[in-house]
Amino acid sequence: TVPRKHDDPDSIKDGGTLHPLTQTEQSLVMEYLEKTASREFQLMCYLALYTGARLQTVCTMRVKNIEDLLKQTPNPLDDTYSLEVGSKTNIDTKFGVSMKIKIPTELVDDIISYTRSKAWKDRAKLSYYGNNNNYVFLTAKGNSYYTSLQEVEDRIASNSMKGFKRARGVSVMAHIKQMLKKINAEGARVRPFTFHDLRATFGMNTLKATLRYNFKNDQALMYLKERMGPRFISTTMGYLEQAEFSNNVVNANSNLSKVLNQYSEK
């Protein structure tokens, strides 16, 4: 008989089993991104951490998609631009779901600055699209980190499929493994995580912030669903359950510490 697999209380079901980074882990990752990471990898992670966008969404954004945001008036409540992604656009989402992600204005400015840099232009010269509405993020060889559905269609139409291999984000995972290796080599203890876990981290940070500002549970859930775009409210419920669980653990550990450490007072 195989024992029933217990759900990990420190995880969330959202397109797989996700583990939001702890505050300590987030601090270590942010320090690495600011001081050590390449600019493109840094910006990709920032998009996941500050918008909750999935890997295929981050990696299939085009330069024009970002530049067009400057035509908007930023939302005065949270200083963000709204970017439409999904089936009606050339930016991929899971199952082609149409939604809007909200990107902080400062991050938009940083991305545009990067796409106008010599480093980006050198990569674009090597790529399929060149300077013609190319991806925001390209590898050193000019390839996409995650090939969009639109590129496949364009290559078929232009008879450019010879030698073409569709990218699925493997290079991004290699960057994450390298980051973990360097961080932990200095004595830290950051658990292995995936790019998708950064989405979960955004979700948890957002939910905790809304609850901290006295949103009711149902209001917080609907806000998070709007920001992250899961198909089912049950997925969003997982974030609420995890947030409540983590708060209970902190309180329980604090209270238990007071009780158990009374021995030292004898």
Side-chain angles (χ1 to χ4, degrees):
T1 302
V2 179
R4 177 181 179 273
K5 182 178 180 180
H6 294 285
D7 290 334
D8 183 351
D10 193 31
S11 67
I12 295 169
K13 300 293 185 182
D14 183 1
T17 301
L18 306 183
H19 295 86
L21 275 64
T22 66
Q23 287 299 320
T24 299
E25 290 172 333
Q26 289 181 57
S27 297
L28 290 167
V29 167
M30 291 299 289
E31 182 179 2
Y32 176 90
L33 292 175
E34 292 168 7
K35 296 181 178 179
T36 307
S38 62
R39 186 57 165 162
E40 72 278 357
F41 179 63
Q42 178 193 71
L43 292 172
M44 281 190 281
C45 291
Y46 285 168
L47 276 167
L49 285 166
Y50 292 112
T51 73
R54 297 174 185 273
L55 178 62
Q56 65 263 51
T57 299
V58 169
C59 293
T60 56
M61 290 180 186
R62 306 296 184 102
V63 174
K64 191 176 187 303
N65 298 138
I66 301 300
E67 290 183 338
D68 283 349
L69 293 178
L70 298 182
K71 299 175 183 178
Q72 298 180 16
T73 299
N75 187 323
L77 297 178
D78 54 18
D79 197 28
T80 61
Y81 292 108
S82 293
L83 175 64
E84 187 172 356
V85 299
S87 60
K88 298 179 181 179
T89 72
N90 56 8
I91 304 175
D92 294 349
T93 58
K94 187 176 182 179
F95 302 124
V97 173
S98 295
M99 60 175 289
K100 290 183 178 180
I101 60 174
K102 303 179 74 174
I103 309 177
T105 57
E106 288 188 11
L107 181 51
V108 169
D109 291 341
D110 284 345
I111 293 172
I112 290 176
S113 177
Y114 169 67
T115 60
R116 294 174 179 174
S117 68
K118 182 179 182 300
W120 183 85
K121 291 177 181 178
D122 287 345
R123 295 181 181 217
K125 289 178 184 177
L126 303 173
S127 70
Y128 171 71
Y129 287 106
N131 287 317
N132 184 24
N133 193 24
N134 212 328
Y135 295 101
V136 170
F137 302 113
L138 296 164
T139 68
K141 294 183 179 181
N143 299 320
S144 60
Y145 282 93
Y146 199 109
T147 307
S148 68
L149 296 174
Q150 184 64 55
E151 181 179 351
V152 175
E153 293 179 6
D154 291 343
R155 283 181 175 274
I156 292 173
S158 63
N159 195 27
S160 303
M161 293 296 289
K162 185 177 180 180
F164 168 66
K165 292 183 179 180
R166 191 170 180 182
R168 298 282 189 175
V170 174
S171 296
V172 178
M173 284 309 305
H175 278 298
I176 290 179
K177 288 180 180 179
Q178 182 182 35
M179 173 172 62
L180 284 166
K181 184 177 180 180
K182 289 187 176 181
I183 292 175
N184 290 334
E186 298 177 2
R189 287 293 178 269
V190 177
R191 297 169 299 173
F193 66 88
T194 66
F195 192 87
H196 204 38
D197 288 325
L198 300 181
R199 167 181 165 82
T201 303
F202 164 81
M204 188 57 61
N205 289 345
T206 300
L207 186 58
K208 287 182 176 180
T210 57
L211 294 175
R212 190 162 57 246
Y213 284 101
N214 299 318
F215 277 55
K216 294 180 180 179
N217 283 1
D218 57 343
Q219 294 173 327
L221 286 173
M222 292 309 298
Y223 179 77
L224 185 62
K225 188 176 188 302
E226 178 186 355
R227 291 296 298 267
M228 298 186 70
R231 300 173 74 194
F232 307 108
I233 193 66
S234 58
T235 301
T236 316
M237 279 292 296
Y239 285 91
L240 179 60
E241 292 170 357
Q242 171 59 19
E244 293 177 338
F245 174 82
S246 60
N247 287 337
N248 289 338
V249 167
V250 170
N251 293 333
N253 285 343
S254 177
N255 293 330
L256 283 171
S257 178
K258 292 177 182 179
V259 174
L260 297 176
N261 288 335
Q262 287 180 355
Y263 178 81
S264 60
E265 299 175 2
K266 291 183 180 180

